Amino acid sequence: MLETTSNSGSSTAGVALFRIQAKLQKQIHAVPSGSQLILEAKNWRFYASDAIAPAELMKLKKEVIAYNQFAAPVADSTGIVHITKGHATGDGSPNYKYHAEWSFGDETTYSFEATTTVGLTQFKSMLSSFRPVINLLDQADVVLLPTTQIIRVQEGKRDFLLSNENKKVPIAASVRKIKGVLYIPLKDVVRAIQGNMQYVTQKNGSFMYLSQRNNMKPTKLNLKTGTVYRNEKKLATYSLVTDHGTLMVPVTALSKLLDVQADKINTENKTMNMTYTSWYTSNTMSSESADAQYQVKVFSLVGPSFEYNNTALGSSNAWEYAGSKPPKGYSPLKYEVSTVHIPLVPGSQNRVELQTNDGQMKIVQSVNSTIDPNQVPFQLNPLPYLDGLNMNVQLVSDAERAWKGGYAEAVKDVMIRGDLKGSSMNSLRLNYKYVDKNGKVSTSNLVNIAATDQQFSYTLKPEKGKGTYIVSLVSPPKSYPLADQVTIVTFMVVFK
């Protein structure tokens, strides 16, 4: 049992094996006199009681050093651990009790105590899992972390053991072997991973559509043939069984149906573990922005573990982010807060997407950009050797309206004009990425634009139809060292 105690001193009733406590105090309690310092590292000190014999102390010291070689017990903290003599184990080997206190430099001190004898490995694994109680959504707009669910089943039993919760749940039919193959009720696996399933009758047969939590890519199961499809692509075919109205599938089918991986069955106790890895997410993303770029802060694994785009501007593999340290208590070797900036189109057609790198989970947010279209800036290349180039680009639509920034709207054409002062170039090249109303992207070939007296002009027409054109002006070949072409400036034109 784990006993928790608040600052008021109230606690749960019962015999506690472990006790954790938080108090509003800056100072960590003093170590009892006579205690021996056996290790000081990474702002943590480890003390041992003087009742521990010298031979035991040497062995204990080696274990403590080994377990603290790479990281402090709790990241970004200062603390102590006091080790006292415990009862010997059944084989006569020594055992110890542990008491730890730590803080993150604020007003709160945390303590964790093993009230009975435990091994160092068990104590440290529990200690290193503690973090300060904070609301991550105060630190980031999105929390995006991987989670793993382990489901234990036993042949002949009519329940699952959800290992993370140490909880048994009843299932619709017993797990059993049929012709040497282990079968399991499909709907109970879906429920255990918090997925969804839907029965659909079509002209060509009956199907079961299965989707994982937060997953945008459902799997289709043909209930007559046992064939599994994803994105209309055939993955595999299995023999299906019905047990008193309950659909049973081979455990080997779960990897294709739901990305659930099954271990080999233990022949002695007939148990087997099934592992499901997914993503936990929570977010407070805004549905409105007054800026040309939408800023999102994401708490996730270092990397980051996601990609992002605005479908109104088409997806792109070229994206940037700025990573920063996570909140106190979370290791910067594993976690970070990524700040990303996603360009927006004025209006409500923006659809911001964050998708995990493995494609399993996607967060979608519709965003209305209230920015004045004339305030959308030109996107300039920050390369140092372009600093002296002032092109004075201007966009003039077919209604003879001159747009002041890097955005224009038109029906038939837009005149792009400017100059090349501050450079030796006498021409430019232009290309664009076209995005239709469904987010489908196509690109153009480079078009040469000649300059007269270092001034240029070009009339852009909606050759691919109505939609958004993301236009780039590019340097001619060999204008700059080590580059055949350099994108100088980018802007948007919307044909309506």
Side-chain angles (χ1 to χ4, degrees):
M1 178 181 175
L2 176 66
E3 180 183 83
T4 59
T5 307
S6 67
N7 191 53
S8 63
S10 61
S11 65
T12 58
V15 179
L17 303 179
F18 300 96
R19 183 178 292 113
I20 184 170
Q21 190 174 25
K23 286 191 174 183
L24 292 176
Q25 61 182 43
K26 284 187 176 182
Q27 298 298 322
I28 294 174
H29 287 130
V31 177
S33 61
S35 299
Q36 307 170 69
L37 178 66
I38 58 176
L39 177 67
E40 184 171 2
K42 303 175 179 67
N43 295 321
W44 276 70
R45 289 170 292 153
F46 291 78
Y47 294 89
S49 167
D50 56 4
I52 300 175
E56 289 183 27
L57 185 63
M58 290 296 294
K59 185 177 179 181
L60 176 63
K61 184 175 181 179
K62 289 181 179 179
E63 292 181 7
V64 170
I65 292 173
Y67 278 112
N68 291 274
Q69 183 176 0
F70 301 108
V74 182
D76 298 324
S77 64
T78 299
I80 63 169
V81 175
H82 188 229
I83 307 171
T84 57
K85 186 79 171 177
H87 299 295
T89 58
D91 60 4
S93 59
N95 217 335
Y96 308 99
K97 293 182 179 181
Y98 301 85
H99 177 89
E101 291 191 18
W102 68 97
S103 72
F104 297 93
D106 53 21
E107 301 288 334
T108 304
T109 296
Y110 301 86
S111 66
F112 177 59
E113 178 183 7
T115 61
T116 185
T117 54
V118 295
L120 178 60
T121 303
Q122 182 183 8
F123 178 79
K124 188 170 186 296
S125 65
M126 293 191 69
L127 176 61
S128 61
S129 69
F130 291 123
R131 303 183 179 99
V133 180
I134 61 174
N135 181 1
L136 287 176
L137 291 176
D138 288 340
Q139 311 289 323
D141 305 299
V142 177
V143 175
L144 181 61
L145 295 174
T147 64
T148 299
Q149 173 72 281
I150 298 176
I151 308 165
R152 175 166 291 186
V153 301
Q154 186 172 14
E155 185 181 345
K157 295 291 186 179
R158 200 165 175 171
D159 56 41
F160 287 164
L161 175 64
L162 305 182
S163 298
N164 293 8
E165 306 168 37
N166 195 27
K167 175 184 177 182
K168 282 190 175 183
V169 294
I171 57 179
S174 299
V175 178
R176 60 191 178 97
K177 280 187 176 180
I178 300 174
K179 296 181 180 181
V181 178
L182 194 66
Y183 276 73
I184 196 163
L186 178 59
K187 69 178 182 180
D188 293 300
V189 179
V190 174
R191 186 180 296 115
I193 67 170
Q194 299 180 36
N196 296 287
M197 61 190 301
Q198 182 179 10
Y199 176 82
V200 177
T201 301
Q202 300 175 347
K203 291 181 179 179
N204 56 342
S206 298
F207 297 88
M208 188 71 74
Y209 285 84
L210 307 164
S211 61
Q212 304 164 44
R213 182 179 59 184
N214 297 322
N215 197 322
M216 307 293 285
K217 299 177 180 178
T219 304
K220 182 170 73 171
L221 173 63
N222 188 315
L223 297 177
K224 182 178 181 180
T225 65
T227 304
V228 181
Y229 302 87
R230 183 172 290 171
N231 295 333
E232 299 305 321
K233 180 182 178 181
K234 180 180 176 180
L235 301 182
T237 300
Y238 302 95
S239 296
L240 307 180
V241 173
T242 301
D243 183 350
H244 295 89
T246 298
L247 178 64
M248 308 281 287
V249 299
V251 293
T252 53
L254 295 176
S255 61
K256 302 293 186 193
L257 289 167
L258 295 163
D259 292 326
V260 174
Q261 308 301 320
D263 294 344
K264 290 184 178 180
I265 192 168
N266 186 317
T267 55
E268 294 183 1
N269 56 22
K270 297 184 178 181
T271 62
M272 181 188 68
N273 285 343
M274 301 186 301
T275 304
Y276 174 66
T277 301
S278 61
W279 292 87
Y280 166 81
T281 182
S282 181
N283 79 82
T284 56
M285 293 171 66
S286 174
S287 60
E288 193 166 286
S289 174
D291 298 318
Q293 290 193 326
Y294 185 70
Q295 178 177 293
V296 185
K297 289 187 176 182
V298 185
F299 176 79
S300 69
L301 298 179
V302 168
S305 54
F306 63 92
E307 297 179 356
Y308 55 88
N309 65 73
N310 178 5
T311 58
L313 298 174
S315 60
S316 171
N317 292 325
W319 49 276
E320 298 178 354
Y321 73 98
S324 58
K325 286 186 177 182
K328 287 184 177 181
Y330 292 84
S331 170
L333 299 176
K334 185 176 181 180
Y335 303 100
E336 71 178 353
V337 175
S338 303
T339 302
V340 300
H341 295 86
I342 306 171
L344 299 175
V345 178
S348 59
Q349 65 267 46
N350 300 282
R351 188 172 183 266
V352 171
E353 295 183 348
L354 301 177
Q355 179 172 292
T356 55
N357 293 340
D358 58 12
Q360 282 196 3
M361 201 276 294
K362 182 185 293 184
I363 302 171
V364 179
Q365 177 67 53
S366 296
V367 179
N368 178 36
S369 174
T370 61
I371 188 172
D372 184 330
N374 278 313
Q375 300 301 315
V376 177
F378 287 99
Q379 298 174 40
L380 302 175
N381 192 324
L383 288 174
Y385 47 74
L386 295 176
D387 286 350
L389 180 60
N390 184 8
M391 298 179 68
N392 295 315
V393 179
Q394 188 178 37
L395 308 178
V396 181
S397 69
D398 51 6
E400 296 299 321
R401 177 179 175 184
W403 296 80
K404 298 178 181 179
Y407 175 87
E409 296 176 357
V411 176
K412 295 180 180 179
D413 59 61
V414 166
M415 176 71 74
I416 304 165
R417 60 194 185 194
D419 58 56
L420 298 175
K421 293 178 181 179
S423 79
S424 60
M425 294 185 294
N426 56 15
S427 67
L428 282 174
R429 292 183 294 179
L430 176 146
N431 65 4
Y432 60 76
K433 180 173 71 174
Y434 167 69
V435 187
D436 67 15
K437 63 180 181 179
N438 298 315
K440 185 178 179 180
V441 177
S442 59
T443 57
S444 71
N445 295 322
L446 285 166
V447 177
N448 291 315
I449 304 175
T452 303
D453 296 330
Q454 288 196 305
Q455 292 185 328
F456 67 88
S457 65
Y458 179 81
T459 300
L460 179 71
K461 297 181 180 295
E463 296 176 354
K464 295 183 180 293
K466 295 179 180 179
T468 302
Y469 290 71
I470 304 170
V471 185
S472 296
L473 297 181
V474 182
S475 67
K478 300 180 181 179
S479 299
Y480 295 99
L482 304 178
D484 176 55
Q485 62 182 42
V486 175
T487 297
I488 302 172
V489 62
T490 301
F491 49 89
M492 290 183 286
V493 176
V494 176
F495 286 102
K496 297 186 174 182

Short mmCIF file of all heavy atoms in Angstrom, two decimals, residues 258-296:
data_model
loop_
_atom_site.label_atom_id
_atom_site.label_comp_id
_atom_site.label_asym_id
_atom_site.label_seq_id
_atom_site.Cartn_x
_atom_site.Cartn_y
_atom_site.Cartn_z
N LEU A 258 -5.33 -4.30 -34.96
CA LEU A 258 -5.29 -3.21 -33.97
C LEU A 258 -3.89 -2.84 -33.52
O LEU A 258 -3.74 -2.10 -32.54
CB LEU A 258 -6.12 -3.62 -32.74
CG LEU A 258 -7.62 -3.81 -32.96
CD1 LEU A 258 -8.24 -4.59 -31.80
CD2 LEU A 258 -8.31 -2.47 -33.14
N ASP A 259 -2.87 -3.33 -34.19
CA ASP A 259 -1.47 -3.08 -33.78
C ASP A 259 -1.20 -3.55 -32.36
O ASP A 259 -0.36 -2.98 -31.65
CB ASP A 259 -1.13 -1.58 -33.90
CG ASP A 259 -1.10 -1.11 -35.35
OD1 ASP A 259 -0.70 -1.91 -36.21
OD2 ASP A 259 -1.50 0.03 -35.61
N VAL A 260 -1.88 -4.61 -31.94
CA VAL A 260 -1.64 -5.24 -30.64
C VAL A 260 -0.69 -6.42 -30.85
O VAL A 260 -0.97 -7.31 -31.66
CB VAL A 260 -2.95 -5.72 -29.99
CG1 VAL A 260 -2.67 -6.51 -28.71
CG2 VAL A 260 -3.86 -4.53 -29.69
N GLN A 261 0.44 -6.40 -30.14
CA GLN A 261 1.45 -7.44 -30.31
C GLN A 261 1.29 -8.49 -29.21
O GLN A 261 1.23 -8.16 -28.02
CB GLN A 261 2.85 -6.84 -30.24
CG GLN A 261 3.06 -5.66 -31.20
CD GLN A 261 2.83 -6.03 -32.65
OE1 GLN A 261 3.21 -7.12 -33.10
NE2 GLN A 261 2.23 -5.12 -33.40
N ALA A 262 1.22 -9.77 -29.61
CA ALA A 262 1.05 -10.87 -28.67
C ALA A 262 2.36 -11.63 -28.48
O ALA A 262 3.02 -11.98 -29.46
CB ALA A 262 -0.05 -11.81 -29.15
N ASP A 263 2.73 -11.87 -27.22
CA ASP A 263 3.91 -12.67 -26.93
C ASP A 263 3.59 -14.15 -27.11
O ASP A 263 2.42 -14.53 -27.30
CB ASP A 263 4.37 -12.45 -25.48
CG ASP A 263 4.85 -11.03 -25.25
OD1 ASP A 263 5.12 -10.32 -26.25
OD2 ASP A 263 4.94 -10.63 -24.07
N LYS A 264 4.62 -14.98 -27.02
CA LYS A 264 4.39 -16.43 -27.05
C LYS A 264 3.72 -16.84 -25.74
O LYS A 264 4.00 -16.28 -24.69
CB LYS A 264 5.71 -17.17 -27.24
CG LYS A 264 6.32 -17.01 -28.63
CD LYS A 264 7.58 -17.85 -28.76
CE LYS A 264 8.16 -17.73 -30.16
NZ LYS A 264 9.39 -18.54 -30.32
N ILE A 265 2.87 -17.84 -25.82
CA ILE A 265 2.17 -18.31 -24.63
C ILE A 265 3.11 -19.08 -23.72
O ILE A 265 3.99 -19.82 -24.20
CB ILE A 265 0.94 -19.17 -25.01
CG1 ILE A 265 0.05 -19.41 -23.79
CG2 ILE A 265 1.37 -20.48 -25.67
CD1 ILE A 265 -1.31 -19.99 -24.13
N ASN A 266 2.98 -18.86 -22.41
CA ASN A 266 3.75 -19.60 -21.43
C ASN A 266 3.14 -21.00 -21.30
O ASN A 266 2.00 -21.14 -20.87
CB ASN A 266 3.73 -18.87 -20.09
CG ASN A 266 4.63 -19.50 -19.05
OD1 ASN A 266 4.67 -20.71 -18.89
ND2 ASN A 266 5.33 -18.65 -18.32
N THR A 267 3.88 -22.01 -21.68
CA THR A 267 3.33 -23.37 -21.71
C THR A 267 3.05 -23.93 -20.32
O THR A 267 2.26 -24.86 -20.18
CB THR A 267 4.29 -24.32 -22.46
OG1 THR A 267 5.59 -24.24 -21.85
CG2 THR A 267 4.41 -23.91 -23.92
N GLU A 268 3.70 -23.36 -19.29
CA GLU A 268 3.50 -23.88 -17.94
C GLU A 268 2.19 -23.41 -17.33
O GLU A 268 1.39 -24.20 -16.85
CB GLU A 268 4.69 -23.47 -17.05
CG GLU A 268 6.01 -24.11 -17.46
CD GLU A 268 7.14 -23.73 -16.51
OE1 GLU A 268 6.87 -23.00 -15.52
OE2 GLU A 268 8.28 -24.16 -16.75
N ASN A 269 1.95 -22.09 -17.35
CA ASN A 269 0.72 -21.58 -16.74
C ASN A 269 -0.30 -21.11 -17.76
O ASN A 269 -1.34 -20.58 -17.40
CB ASN A 269 1.04 -20.44 -15.76
CG ASN A 269 1.81 -19.30 -16.43
OD1 ASN A 269 1.79 -19.15 -17.65
ND2 ASN A 269 2.49 -18.51 -15.61
N LYS A 270 0.02 -21.29 -19.05
CA LYS A 270 -0.89 -20.96 -20.16
C LYS A 270 -1.31 -19.48 -20.16
O LYS A 270 -2.44 -19.14 -20.51
CB LYS A 270 -2.12 -21.86 -20.13
CG LYS A 270 -1.81 -23.34 -20.32
CD LYS A 270 -3.06 -24.18 -20.38
CE LYS A 270 -2.73 -25.65 -20.63
NZ LYS A 270 -3.94 -26.49 -20.72
N THR A 271 -0.39 -18.61 -19.78
CA THR A 271 -0.66 -17.18 -19.82
C THR A 271 0.09 -16.54 -20.98
O THR A 271 1.07 -17.10 -21.49
CB THR A 271 -0.25 -16.49 -18.51
OG1 THR A 271 1.16 -16.65 -18.32
CG2 THR A 271 -1.01 -17.05 -17.33
N MET A 272 -0.37 -15.37 -21.37
CA MET A 272 0.26 -14.65 -22.48
C MET A 272 0.01 -13.17 -22.29
O MET A 272 -1.07 -12.75 -21.86
CB MET A 272 -0.35 -15.11 -23.81
CG MET A 272 0.25 -14.44 -25.04
SD MET A 272 -0.68 -14.85 -26.53
CE MET A 272 -2.22 -14.00 -26.19
N ASN A 273 1.03 -12.37 -22.62
CA ASN A 273 0.90 -10.92 -22.56
C ASN A 273 0.65 -10.36 -23.95
O ASN A 273 1.28 -10.77 -24.93
CB ASN A 273 2.16 -10.27 -21.99
CG ASN A 273 2.28 -10.46 -20.49
OD1 ASN A 273 1.31 -10.79 -19.82
ND2 ASN A 273 3.47 -10.26 -19.96
N MET A 274 -0.26 -9.40 -24.03
CA MET A 274 -0.50 -8.65 -25.26
C MET A 274 -0.14 -7.19 -24.97
O MET A 274 -0.57 -6.63 -23.96
CB MET A 274 -1.96 -8.76 -25.70
CG MET A 274 -2.41 -10.20 -25.95
SD MET A 274 -4.09 -10.31 -26.63
CE MET A 274 -5.05 -9.51 -25.35
N THR A 275 0.62 -6.58 -25.86
CA THR A 275 1.11 -5.22 -25.65
C THR A 275 0.56 -4.28 -26.71
O THR A 275 0.62 -4.58 -27.91
CB THR A 275 2.66 -5.18 -25.69
OG1 THR A 275 3.17 -6.10 -24.72
CG2 THR A 275 3.16 -3.78 -25.38
N TYR A 276 0.04 -3.16 -26.25
CA TYR A 276 -0.50 -2.15 -27.17
C TYR A 276 0.15 -0.82 -26.86
O TYR A 276 0.07 -0.30 -25.74
CB TYR A 276 -2.02 -2.03 -27.02
CG TYR A 276 -2.63 -0.90 -27.83
CD1 TYR A 276 -2.60 -0.93 -29.22
CD2 TYR A 276 -3.21 0.19 -27.21
CE1 TYR A 276 -3.13 0.10 -29.97
CE2 TYR A 276 -3.76 1.23 -27.95
CZ TYR A 276 -3.71 1.17 -29.33
OH TYR A 276 -4.24 2.20 -30.07
N THR A 277 0.84 -0.25 -27.85
CA THR A 277 1.49 1.05 -27.70
C THR A 277 0.70 2.10 -28.49
O THR A 277 0.44 1.90 -29.68
CB THR A 277 2.94 1.00 -28.21
OG1 THR A 277 3.66 0.01 -27.46
CG2 THR A 277 3.62 2.35 -28.03
N SER A 278 0.33 3.16 -27.84
CA SER A 278 -0.44 4.21 -28.50
C SER A 278 0.06 5.57 -28.02
O SER A 278 1.17 5.70 -27.52
CB SER A 278 -1.94 4.05 -28.21
OG SER A 278 -2.19 4.14 -26.82
N TRP A 279 -0.79 6.58 -28.13
CA TRP A 279 -0.41 7.93 -27.75
C TRP A 279 -1.47 8.53 -26.83
O TRP A 279 -2.67 8.39 -27.08
CB TRP A 279 -0.26 8.82 -28.98
CG TRP A 279 0.89 8.44 -29.84
CD1 TRP A 279 0.89 7.52 -30.85
CD2 TRP A 279 2.22 8.94 -29.76
NE1 TRP A 279 2.14 7.41 -31.39
CE2 TRP A 279 2.98 8.29 -30.75
CE3 TRP A 279 2.84 9.90 -28.96
CZ2 TRP A 279 4.32 8.54 -30.95
CZ3 TRP A 279 4.19 10.15 -29.15
CH2 TRP A 279 4.91 9.48 -30.14
N TYR A 280 -0.99 9.18 -25.77
CA TYR A 280 -1.88 9.98 -24.93
C TYR A 280 -1.76 11.44 -25.38
O TYR A 280 -0.66 11.94 -25.63
CB TYR A 280 -1.47 9.89 -23.46
CG TYR A 280 -2.14 10.95 -22.62
CD1 TYR A 280 -3.45 10.78 -22.18
CD2 TYR A 280 -1.49 12.14 -22.31
CE1 TYR A 280 -4.09 11.77 -21.44
CE2 TYR A 280 -2.11 13.13 -21.57
CZ TYR A 280 -3.41 12.94 -21.14
OH TYR A 280 -4.03 13.92 -20.42
N THR A 281 -2.89 12.09 -25.51
CA THR A 281 -2.84 13.50 -25.89
C THR A 281 -3.92 14.30 -25.17
O THR A 281 -4.99 13.78 -24.86
CB THR A 281 -3.00 13.68 -27.41
OG1 THR A 281 -2.91 15.06 -27.75
CG2 THR A 281 -4.35 13.16 -27.88
N SER A 282 -3.59 15.54 -24.92
CA SER A 282 -4.55 16.50 -24.38
C SER A 282 -4.12 17.86 -24.89
O SER A 282 -2.92 18.12 -25.04
CB SER A 282 -4.54 16.46 -22.85
OG SER A 282 -5.49 17.37 -22.32
N ASN A 283 -5.07 18.73 -25.21
CA ASN A 283 -4.64 20.01 -25.75
C ASN A 283 -5.64 21.12 -25.44
O ASN A 283 -6.82 20.88 -25.19
CB ASN A 283 -4.41 19.90 -27.26
CG ASN A 283 -5.68 19.95 -28.07
OD1 ASN A 283 -6.21 21.04 -28.35
ND2 ASN A 283 -6.19 18.79 -28.47
N THR A 284 -5.10 22.34 -25.48
CA THR A 284 -5.91 23.56 -25.32
C THR A 284 -5.61 24.50 -26.48
O THR A 284 -5.50 25.71 -26.29
CB THR A 284 -5.60 24.25 -23.98
OG1 THR A 284 -4.19 24.52 -23.91
CG2 THR A 284 -6.02 23.40 -22.80
N MET A 285 -5.46 23.94 -27.67
CA MET A 285 -5.15 24.75 -28.85
C MET A 285 -6.27 25.74 -29.14
O MET A 285 -7.45 25.41 -29.05
CB MET A 285 -4.92 23.85 -30.06
CG MET A 285 -3.67 22.97 -29.94
SD MET A 285 -3.56 21.72 -31.25
CE MET A 285 -3.34 22.76 -32.70
N SER A 286 -5.90 26.95 -29.50
CA SER A 286 -6.87 28.00 -29.78
C SER A 286 -7.45 27.85 -31.18
O SER A 286 -6.77 27.37 -32.10
CB SER A 286 -6.21 29.38 -29.64
OG SER A 286 -7.10 30.40 -30.05
N SER A 287 -8.69 28.26 -31.36
CA SER A 287 -9.34 28.19 -32.67
C SER A 287 -9.26 29.52 -33.40
O SER A 287 -9.87 29.68 -34.46
CB SER A 287 -10.81 27.78 -32.51
OG SER A 287 -11.50 28.74 -31.71
N GLU A 288 -8.50 30.49 -32.86
CA GLU A 288 -8.41 31.81 -33.48
C GLU A 288 -7.01 32.37 -33.30
O GLU A 288 -6.34 32.12 -32.30
CB GLU A 288 -9.45 32.75 -32.88
CG GLU A 288 -9.63 34.05 -33.67
CD GLU A 288 -10.90 34.79 -33.26
OE1 GLU A 288 -12.00 34.35 -33.63
OE2 GLU A 288 -10.76 35.81 -32.57
N SER A 289 -6.55 33.10 -34.31
CA SER A 289 -5.23 33.74 -34.23
C SER A 289 -5.28 35.09 -34.91
O SER A 289 -5.88 35.24 -35.98
CB SER A 289 -4.16 32.86 -34.89
OG SER A 289 -2.93 33.52 -34.93
N ALA A 290 -4.62 36.07 -34.32
CA ALA A 290 -4.54 37.40 -34.92
C ALA A 290 -3.20 37.63 -35.60
O ALA A 290 -2.90 38.73 -36.03
CB ALA A 290 -4.76 38.47 -33.85
N ASP A 291 -2.40 36.55 -35.72
CA ASP A 291 -1.07 36.66 -36.31
C ASP A 291 -1.00 35.90 -37.62
O ASP A 291 -1.86 35.06 -37.93
CB ASP A 291 -0.01 36.11 -35.35
CG ASP A 291 0.05 36.91 -34.05
OD1 ASP A 291 -0.03 38.14 -34.12
OD2 ASP A 291 0.15 36.28 -32.98
N ALA A 292 0.06 36.17 -38.38
CA ALA A 292 0.26 35.48 -39.65
C ALA A 292 0.74 34.06 -39.43
O ALA A 292 0.66 33.22 -40.34
CB ALA A 292 1.27 36.22 -40.52
N GLN A 293 1.24 33.77 -38.23
CA GLN A 293 1.68 32.42 -37.88
C GLN A 293 0.99 31.97 -36.61
O GLN A 293 0.78 32.75 -35.68
CB GLN A 293 3.19 32.35 -37.72
CG GLN A 293 3.96 32.52 -39.04
CD GLN A 293 5.41 32.15 -38.88
OE1 GLN A 293 6.01 32.36 -37.84
NE2 GLN A 293 6.00 31.59 -39.94
N TYR A 294 0.64 30.71 -36.59
CA TYR A 294 -0.04 30.09 -35.45
C TYR A 294 1.01 29.44 -34.57
O TYR A 294 1.73 28.55 -35.02
CB TYR A 294 -1.04 29.08 -35.97
CG TYR A 294 -1.92 28.42 -34.92
CD1 TYR A 294 -2.91 29.13 -34.27
CD2 TYR A 294 -1.78 27.06 -34.62
CE1 TYR A 294 -3.74 28.52 -33.34
CE2 TYR A 294 -2.61 26.44 -33.70
CZ TYR A 294 -3.58 27.18 -33.05
OH TYR A 294 -4.40 26.58 -32.14
N GLN A 295 1.13 29.87 -33.33
CA GLN A 295 2.15 29.32 -32.43
C GLN A 295 1.55 28.24 -31.54
O GLN A 295 0.50 28.43 -30.93
CB GLN A 295 2.75 30.43 -31.55
CG GLN A 295 3.79 29.91 -30.56
CD GLN A 295 4.43 31.01 -29.77
OE1 GLN A 295 5.16 31.84 -30.30
NE2 GLN A 295 4.19 31.03 -28.46
N VAL A 296 2.23 27.12 -31.48
CA VAL A 296 1.79 26.00 -30.65
C VAL A 296 2.99 25.50 -29.84
O VAL A 296 4.07 25.29 -30.40
CB VAL A 296 1.23 24.83 -31.48
CG1 VAL A 296 0.68 23.74 -30.57
CG2 VAL A 296 0.16 25.31 -32.43
#
